[in-house]
Amino acid sequence: MSIFQWFIGLGANVMIPILLIIFALILGTKPAKAIKAGITIGIGFIGLGLVIGLLVSSLGEAAQGMIANFGLKLDVIDVGWPATSAIAFSTALGSLAIPIGIGVNIVLLIFGLTKTLDIDLWNFWHGAFIGSIIYATTNNFVLSVITIISYYLFIFWMADYMEPEISKFYGFSNITFPHGTSAPGYLIAKPMNFIFDRIPGFKDLDVSPEKIQKKFGLFGDSVVMGLIIGLIMGFLAGYDLSTTLNLGMKTAAVMMLMPRMVSLLMEGLEPISESASEFVKKRFPNRDIFIGMDSALSVGHPAVLSSSLILVPITILLAVLLPGNRVLPFGDLATIPFIVCLMAAVFRGNIIRTVLGGTVYMGIGLYIASWISPLFTKMAENAKYDLAGNLYISSLADGSLYPTAIFVFFGKYLPFIGVVAFGLLMLGLLIYQNKIRK
């Protein structure tokens, strides 16, 4: 456990390149090529971190201004994913999440029940979060471990299920996202898209970044759209002209730089993906392998960024208008791109559909985050987290998502039966999916 904790402590910028270099060497990539690929991926993650940091700081200040303007006073503070992941990894269950996740992944690969090899170990914190909040609900350690296993079965089923659509939309090859914040949105978007396709008039509205640029020229360019959205957010935050212009330039910079950082990551992943494909074809002629990566690879798409920036003031407005909501959106407003990135793939980059679907999703999420806030706070107390004077805390990343609601419901009302039945259902879906593809 100490070794795992030390390795996690290195952070994604170091941990993931090391894992990928080792993975590439096992697959037969030449050492020089493997090392160069790993370093390039590490640089890509550092670049992404800088751009996301710029987005977080810009949105954080603007959000404070908008919250003040709307006169928002709610008793549950959204502490954001950095605090949520730290709390999850600091509990009794947190240290077990990574070895359990690796074990589940290896067993599924051996029996041919998944095609996903998840190398994004850092994001196993989502499993730690689910297990920890169930422990806060039930105080049952064994049930919490079973919950983590059931949750990973769901995530690996999702990773396999959505890979074809992700590859088609984003242009990736054999890459998928077993990411706890992003994957659930994909499944929500499917029935929404089915409904949208059957609404007369609305079904013909195709507002993708490409269509906007073609129709509006300069004003349809994604960078200019980022500038305009930033200016609107500055106005809503009550900024003066100088600060508003600066916010506009920062959001424009994010729209420009995020795709560049993603392309750098893809440049590093390309030789490893090729080696993986050759390795599997040689040893397992009838099988493919998908590399499980952080969904940060997808958030640079113009449709994702544009929709997410629009959803920031919408989410704050929802917090004001929805009766019974207790959550003050704050720490995870900059995480909205990760929440909706795979919804955008289902909606084929249609910004109107992504914003509308995201609005419904965020609205439901605020109620979930409000409902679980006492358990979230108890989990934080179990991890000796400083609540900084807040009576209750929650988060939009994971705290507002339906898998969390499902497992908390099971923990409260159907402890073992619900969790085990859910796990068996996911296992059945993995078996069925594998049989269909064969």
Side-chain angles (χ1 to χ4, degrees):
M1 291 304 100
S2 298
I3 294 169
F4 273 118
Q5 288 288 357
W6 175 83
F7 194 49
I8 293 165
L10 293 174
N13 296 342
V14 176
M15 185 177 72
I16 292 177
I18 290 173
L19 287 171
L20 282 169
I21 289 170
I22 295 169
F23 180 48
L25 292 171
I26 292 170
L27 294 173
T29 310
K30 292 180 180 179
K33 204 172 182 180
I35 292 168
K36 177 69 183 298
I39 293 171
T40 303
I41 290 164
I43 293 168
F45 269 109
I46 290 169
L48 261 181
L50 292 171
V51 178
I52 291 171
L54 175 63
L55 182 65
V56 168
S57 62
S58 304
L59 287 187
E61 293 172 7
Q64 282 182 320
M66 282 187 269
I67 287 165
N69 274 0
F70 285 121
L72 216 53
K73 292 180 181 178
L74 299 163
D75 67 335
V76 179
I77 184 71
D78 163 27
V79 294
W81 76 264
T84 305
S85 60
I87 291 168
F89 273 139
S90 299
T91 64
L93 275 301
S95 299
L96 293 173
I98 288 182
I100 290 173
I102 293 172
V104 170
N105 197 186
I106 289 171
V107 169
L108 292 176
L109 283 167
I110 288 172
F111 287 98
L113 298 181
T114 184
K115 296 184 177 185
T116 301
L117 174 61
D118 190 0
I119 57 172
D120 184 21
L121 297 190
W122 166 257
N123 276 303
F124 278 44
W125 74 261
H126 301 284
F129 170 81
I130 292 291
S132 298
I133 204 161
I134 293 306
Y135 186 73
T137 308
T138 64
N139 289 321
N140 189 313
F141 189 84
V142 174
L143 177 62
S144 302
V145 170
I146 296 171
T147 298
I148 294 174
I149 294 171
S150 295
Y151 175 76
Y152 283 136
L153 290 172
F154 165 71
I155 288 296
F156 286 119
W157 170 67
M158 280 295 306
D160 281 7
Y161 176 62
M162 63 191 178
E163 189 277 337
E165 199 157 9
I166 288 171
S167 294
K168 183 178 179 181
F169 180 72
Y170 288 111
F172 299 152
S173 177
N174 291 340
I175 288 176
T176 188
F177 303 122
H179 191 283
T181 299
S182 304
Y186 177 91
L187 209 56
I188 286 290
K190 296 296 279 187
M192 284 186 180
N193 203 48
F194 179 84
I195 294 168
F196 291 158
D197 281 339
R198 280 149 186 83
I199 299 175
F202 184 83
K203 66 180 181 180
D204 300 319
L205 289 175
D206 184 8
V207 187
S208 63
E210 295 79 15
K211 294 284 177 67
I212 293 173
Q213 185 165 3
K214 186 176 179 181
K215 187 169 184 177
F216 295 101
L218 175 65
F219 291 99
D221 183 88
S222 61
V223 175
V224 178
M225 284 173 60
L227 173 68
I228 293 169
I229 293 169
L231 294 175
I232 294 169
M233 288 172 62
F235 171 76
L236 292 173
Y239 284 173
D240 59 32
L241 180 61
S242 173
T243 312
T244 299
L245 291 171
N246 269 281
L247 178 61
M249 284 303 298
K250 287 176 181 177
T251 50
V254 168
M255 297 291 282
M256 170 72 79
L257 295 173
M258 191 82 85
R260 303 283 174 92
M261 295 304 106
V262 171
S263 66
L264 195 60
L265 276 169
M266 293 308 301
E267 182 185 325
L269 278 170
E270 190 175 348
I272 299 173
S273 182
E274 289 173 359
S275 296
S277 182
E278 290 172 10
F279 180 88
V280 172
K281 282 178 182 176
K282 186 184 289 185
R283 289 163 179 79
F284 308 98
N286 298 319
R287 288 180 65 181
D288 292 323
I289 191 108
F290 306 148
I291 301 174
M293 284 294 294
D294 192 317
S295 58
L297 285 172
S298 67
V299 298
H301 194 282
V304 175
L305 286 175
S306 300
S307 303
S308 302
L309 290 174
I310 295 169
L311 280 166
V312 170
I314 288 175
T315 301
I316 294 173
L317 191 61
L318 286 172
V320 177
L321 298 177
L322 289 177
N325 169 58
R326 297 172 56 197
V327 175
L328 177 65
F330 180 67
D332 270 332
L333 286 171
T335 310
I336 290 176
F338 289 85
I339 296 174
V340 303
C341 59
L342 302 187
M343 297 179 77
V346 177
F347 297 136
R348 301 181 291 277
N350 189 316
I351 293 174
I352 289 182
R353 292 192 182 198
T354 306
V355 170
L356 184 57
T359 299
V360 174
Y361 195 32
M362 297 305 295
I364 295 169
L366 286 171
Y367 282 121
I368 294 173
S370 298
W371 179 52
I372 68 152
S373 59
L375 296 172
F376 194 110
T377 307
K378 184 179 177 182
M379 179 181 72
E381 290 170 344
N382 289 344
K384 305 294 189 291
Y385 178 77
D386 183 7
L387 297 178
N390 295 299
L391 289 176
Y392 296 102
I393 61 173
S394 194
S395 75
L396 297 182
D398 282 32
S400 70
L401 305 182
Y402 65 86
T404 302
I406 290 170
F407 282 111
V408 168
F409 176 83
F410 288 154
K412 280 178 173 287
Y413 306 110
L414 298 166
F416 276 96
I417 295 173
V419 172
V420 172
F422 184 86
L424 290 174
L425 173 63
M426 292 302 114
L427 187 60
L429 287 172
L430 282 162
I431 293 169
Y432 175 76
Q433 187 167 259
N434 181 62
K435 184 179 179 181
I436 289 296
R437 285 188 172 175
K438 278 185 177 179

